[in-house]
Amino acid sequence: MLRILKIGGNVLADPLALDQALSFFADYQSPAILVHGGGREASDLLKKMGHEAKMVNGRRITDAATLEVVTMVYAGLLNKQLVAQLQAKNCNALGVTGADGNLIRAHKRIVKDIDYGFAGDIDAVNTAGFKSLLEGGFSPVCCAITHDKQGQLLNTNADTIASSIAVALAAAYEVELLYCFEKPGVLMDAEDNKSVIGHLNPTSYAELKQEGIVHSGMLPKLDNAFAAIANGVKAVYVGNLESLGNGKATRLSW
């Protein structure tokens, strides 16, 4: 089974958690793809440069200055650090953006109520390109930068990238999609790590959203997870390394 592991910003910011996540990824004996963002690191650098990160409903507003910074952080420093650390664990990692090999093509998000700037909504995933990398023995490490094939880089939500890659490759592989972040799963009480919701379906998810139990940054993550389940991905799990490893993460199904 092809495993797609998405690691979040809090994991990236914690050296021990990151090392454990990379070991978890490297130890998997079948084809695997790692997807990462780096929002916290990008926000920190923006602040140092005199810019404030702007977020709406868990999504970043990407103006021109922000695009330069997220590209430097996501596609540069973070991506290559992850590749180097995976190589040290005997995982033949290869760092990519959506522009490399035309792997992920997107368009600048159309302005409706909110102008998200240079945010990219995905148009196509190059399934053959990813297959060739996997069959060549590489483990792609994908950052959250896409392109429009007209020369413009775009900032795309990493959860969306993970979901879109999973859906695209589901026609060729059995795919499991794992969203790894700092919590053991989706929680009934954000302050109680023991309140993991073991299973979610679209009905229960809608109820939790309406009640305000699930909100903010979890919304795009779960929206993308359910989109993957609806489009052929065999399994989606949300949790931390421990819960993903012991089967106690939140499982999503249709």
Side-chain angles (χ1 to χ4, degrees):
M1 181 179 291
L2 171 65
R3 171 176 288 174
I4 298 174
L5 175 66
K6 190 271 176 175
I7 54 176
N10 289 316
V11 174
L12 289 166
D14 182 336
L16 178 58
L18 178 58
D19 184 69
Q20 291 172 339
L22 295 180
S23 292
F24 177 77
F25 179 80
D27 290 343
Y28 189 62
Q29 296 302 307
S30 294
I33 297 172
L34 182 68
V35 179
H36 70 89
R40 176 179 291 187
E41 291 79 358
S43 295
D44 289 345
L45 183 55
L46 277 165
K47 190 172 183 178
K48 290 177 183 176
M49 296 174 69
H51 301 282
E52 284 295 328
K54 299 175 183 177
M55 307 289 289
V56 177
N57 297 327
R59 295 184 182 271
R60 184 182 298 274
I61 304 294
T62 307
D63 58 18
T66 300
L67 180 64
E68 290 186 356
V69 171
V70 297
T71 301
M72 287 189 287
V73 174
Y74 299 171
L77 182 62
L78 269 178
N79 188 265
K80 299 316 165 192
Q81 286 178 334
L82 295 176
V83 168
Q85 290 174 62
L86 285 170
Q87 288 288 353
K89 297 178 184 295
N90 296 315
C91 173
N92 197 16
L94 179 71
V96 296
T97 69
D100 296 299
N102 190 31
L103 288 174
I104 306 172
R105 180 168 51 81
H107 65 271
K108 186 175 180 289
R109 184 170 301 157
I110 296 169
V111 177
K112 295 179 181 177
D113 297 330
I114 300 165
D115 184 354
Y116 284 95
F118 292 98
D121 289 332
I122 294 175
D123 293 319
V125 173
N126 183 350
T127 305
F130 276 108
K131 281 184 66 180
S132 68
L133 292 175
L134 293 167
E135 291 168 2
F138 294 105
S139 294
V141 178
C142 303
C143 71
I145 298 296
T146 57
H147 77 136
D148 65 359
K149 216 171 189 302
Q150 303 297 318
Q152 179 64 58
L153 292 173
L154 297 165
N155 177 25
T156 296
N157 181 275
D159 292 333
T160 304
I161 287 177
S163 174
S164 298
I165 294 172
V167 169
L169 292 173
Y173 301 87
E174 281 196 341
V175 179
E176 66 172 13
L177 173 59
L178 280 60
Y179 285 110
C180 178
F181 69 144
E182 73 279 6
K183 299 290 185 180
V186 182
L187 305 177
M188 284 294 293
D189 179 354
E191 303 303 318
D192 182 5
N193 282 350
K194 295 182 179 179
S195 65
V196 175
I197 302 167
H199 176 249
L200 275 177
N201 59 35
T203 301
S204 58
Y205 176 43
E207 292 171 353
L208 292 173
K209 282 198 293 186
Q210 185 173 2
E211 294 168 9
I213 292 171
V214 177
H215 55 86
S216 303
M218 282 302 296
L219 295 177
K221 187 183 301 295
L222 292 178
D223 287 345
N224 282 299
F226 277 111
I229 287 288
N231 288 281
V233 175
K234 190 171 183 65
V236 179
Y237 299 92
V238 180
N240 58 18
L241 280 173
E242 182 179 358
S243 64
L244 290 169
N246 64 22
K248 295 183 178 180
T250 300
R251 178 175 63 88
L252 278 63
S253 72
W254 203 248

